[in-house]
Amino acid sequence: MTAPTIVTTGTDLLADAVADQAVDVQRVDWQPPMPGTIDDLATVIADPLRAEANAKAVEAYLGVTAQLVDVLPAGEALGLGTGDFLHAGPPISWERASGPMRGALMGAAAFEGIVADAEDAPAFFESGTGFTLSPAHHHHAVGPMAGVVSPSMWVFVIEDAATGARTYCSLNEGLGKVLRYGAYSPEVLDRLRWMSEVLGPVLQRAVRAAGPVDVTAMLAQMLQMGDEAHNRNRAGTLMLLRDLVPAMIRSESRAGDVADAAAFVGGNDHFFLNLAMPACKLALDAARDIEGSTMVVAMARNGTDFGIQVSGTGDQWFTGPAQVADGLYLGSYGPEDANPDIGDSAITETAGIGGFAMATAPAIVRLVGGTVPDALATTRRMGEITLTQNPRWTLPVMEFAGTPTGIDVTRVCRTGILPQINTGMAGRVAGTGQVGAGLVTPPAEIFPAALAALAERARPRVTG
């Protein structure tokens, strides 16, 4: 007779009792759907469009090849004029903006010469006139942390090889006291001026001379080399230098400027993040606006709100309060110093890398906390809430399985498993800068809200 195998769910009391009797026990991690979602789940799952719509969204996402084709001033690339500012996350006003968001806007206003001193900027923004605030996502762009972009800053231009669609992201300043973490001291503004006057033009000449850089392929190589492309980008940054330095040297840029630019990029392990982010957005934008699709196409935070957008609900944001990350702090900083989660960089997790690819980057746990087994378990767990695996981006430690891709609102609501995000932490007081890095999840209530909107759209198809 074959020995019995017992399958258990819920608490471990029964499983432990059976295991003590030398019986094989398979423990299944199961819990009821999120509260209040059962009716909406039934409606959306019964939607006759859902399966085909999700397959179409996945196909569109996987069909994008993101290439770096240019580096331009944001005013030229995005059509920004004096007083126009982009920011990370869903829409927000100055009145509701967090400390790091305010600090970045203050620094950007001083950088653009709108105010003589960054400390004068609050009065300017409180006046309510002479400026616009708009999410970067609404302009086919993304920005890490505060994500503030103003006309004189330079941006990477990412293009889909097949369709010509484009996305954009600012250049990475490095870590510590930088604008994106809400710092606005004179050295922060001096660095921004150098990036606009020297770094941007040097990179522009190199990219135009070297030809398109295949960012999608580079991301695939990074995952083989221990990067997860959110908080660890060391391999990607070095590969970018490998591709661009010869063109930088041969260009018309001054030798000293080339040396300074190469040293700056080489000394900033996070530089490639600002290419990974728009590459992910480009692929996810291709999956937007497919009626019936339950695939998440954006996760973004502005330091006050955490928002998601779903393919089948258009440009609508579903928001809840941003959470404070759980992680490791720099120096004497602690949880009381940290601002709630902020930045567009969760677009990497939305695309299936970052926290979803922690298994391939065990070294990341030294930065964000946790253990190597935690990293492996996280990637496996993310597979329970996604539609597919990405065959381009594979994980050696998991027998080269593709990264979990295509967050499915119905699976999140059915399992209660929330997306895992690796993130930096900004100081809650404007001007502080970075205080740490850690792990965070979205507020749970935004997924039932998105599910309800999907159900409302699906109900005529299901009941009619």
Side-chain angles (χ1 to χ4, degrees):
M1 178 181 292
T2 303
T5 296
I6 306 299
V7 177
T8 67
T9 64
T11 61
D12 286 332
L13 181 63
L14 175 61
D16 292 341
V18 173
D20 288 343
Q21 300 176 58
V23 176
D24 182 31
V25 178
Q26 299 293 322
R27 304 171 192 248
V28 176
D29 184 12
W30 178 89
Q31 59 183 4
M34 289 182 169
T37 64
I38 292 176
D39 289 343
D40 288 337
L41 273 171
T43 299
V44 174
I45 289 173
D47 185 358
L49 296 184
R50 181 178 62 89
E52 184 177 347
N54 281 337
K56 184 178 179 181
V58 167
E59 181 181 15
Y61 162 83
L62 293 175
V64 171
T65 297
Q67 298 181 326
L68 171 63
V69 297
D70 210 344
V71 186
L72 293 169
E76 178 180 346
L78 297 167
L80 303 182
T82 301
D84 292 333
F85 299 93
L86 305 186
H87 64 78
I92 196 166
S93 64
W94 170 263
E95 289 73 23
R96 294 187 65 245
S98 63
M101 180 70 75
R102 289 189 174 198
L105 288 168
M106 291 162 62
F111 171 66
E112 293 292 340
I114 295 173
V115 295
D117 187 279
E119 296 291 350
D120 299 329
F124 167 68
F125 288 111
E126 287 165 4
S127 73
T129 61
F131 68 92
T132 65
L133 295 181
S134 181
H137 269 287
H138 293 185
H139 299 263
H140 304 288
V142 280
M145 303 309 291
V148 170
V149 179
S150 60
S152 301
M153 298 176 188
W154 284 56
V155 295
F156 290 120
V157 181
I158 306 295
E159 183 176 280
D160 179 19
T163 67
R166 288 185 166 189
T167 52
Y168 310 87
C169 186
S170 55
L171 310 184
N172 194 287
E173 311 158 79
L175 296 176
K177 283 190 176 293
V178 290
L179 187 82
R180 73 178 187 279
Y181 277 99
Y184 53 82
S185 58
E187 60 266 32
V188 172
L189 300 183
D190 287 344
R191 186 188 303 112
L192 288 174
R193 294 185 185 101
W194 175 81
M195 291 174 69
S196 291
E197 295 167 3
V198 176
L199 181 63
V202 167
L203 291 173
Q204 181 189 73
R205 297 182 191 107
V207 170
R208 290 179 175 180
V213 176
D214 190 336
V215 179
T216 299
M218 200 170 287
L219 282 163
Q221 294 176 42
M222 291 167 60
L223 293 171
Q224 308 297 306
M225 299 168 70
D227 284 355
E228 42 73 81
H230 188 166
N231 267 296
R232 184 176 173 86
N233 289 274
R234 180 171 297 177
T237 298
L238 293 177
M239 283 191 288
L240 180 68
L241 272 178
R242 176 201 64 188
D243 286 0
L244 293 185
V245 162
M248 290 166 62
I249 293 172
R250 295 190 185 100
S251 72
E252 297 177 357
S253 298
R254 293 177 56 253
D257 289 344
V258 169
D260 290 343
F264 179 80
V265 175
N268 175 9
D269 288 346
H270 279 67
F271 195 78
F272 192 86
L273 171 62
N274 292 45
L275 289 168
M277 288 172 56
C280 290
K281 177 166 177 59
L282 187 67
L284 289 161
D285 276 359
R288 284 178 174 269
D289 300 319
I290 300 174
E291 186 66 30
S293 174
T294 58
M295 179 172 156
V296 177
V297 293
M299 294 194 295
R301 314 89 93 203
N302 56 33
T304 303
D305 308 311
F306 191 121
I308 63 171
Q309 292 180 311
V310 181
S311 176
T313 55
D315 294 332
Q316 184 176 358
W317 286 98
F318 304 95
T319 63
Q323 312 292 304
V324 175
D326 180 17
L328 304 177
Y329 290 88
L330 303 175
S332 61
Y333 291 121
E336 67 281 359
D337 301 305
N339 195 79
D341 197 21
I342 187 170
D344 286 332
S345 56
I347 197 72
T348 56
E349 280 82 7
T350 319
I353 49 180
F356 283 49
M358 284 182 70
T360 202
I364 196 67
V365 300
R366 300 184 66 181
L367 174 66
V368 299
T371 66
V372 172
D374 290 339
L376 292 165
T378 294
T379 295
R380 292 192 183 99
R381 190 167 65 254
M382 295 302 98
E384 296 186 42
I385 60 171
T386 47
L387 294 167
T388 190
Q389 294 181 350
N390 189 332
R392 288 178 170 177
W393 296 342
T394 61
L395 309 171
V397 73
M398 300 182 72
E399 301 294 338
F400 295 94
T403 60
T405 298
I407 300 168
D408 181 2
V409 170
T410 63
R411 297 184 188 211
V412 173
C413 291
R414 194 175 69 226
T415 65
I417 297 172
L418 296 172
Q420 179 72 73
I421 299 165
N422 300 339
T423 186
M425 288 185 274
R428 63 179 181 81
V429 176
T432 301
Q434 185 179 14
V435 299
L439 305 173
V440 73
T441 58
E445 62 265 32
I446 62 179
F447 291 94
L451 180 70
L454 289 163
E456 184 66 24
R457 297 171 75 109
R459 197 160 284 116
R461 296 191 290 268
V462 173
T463 60

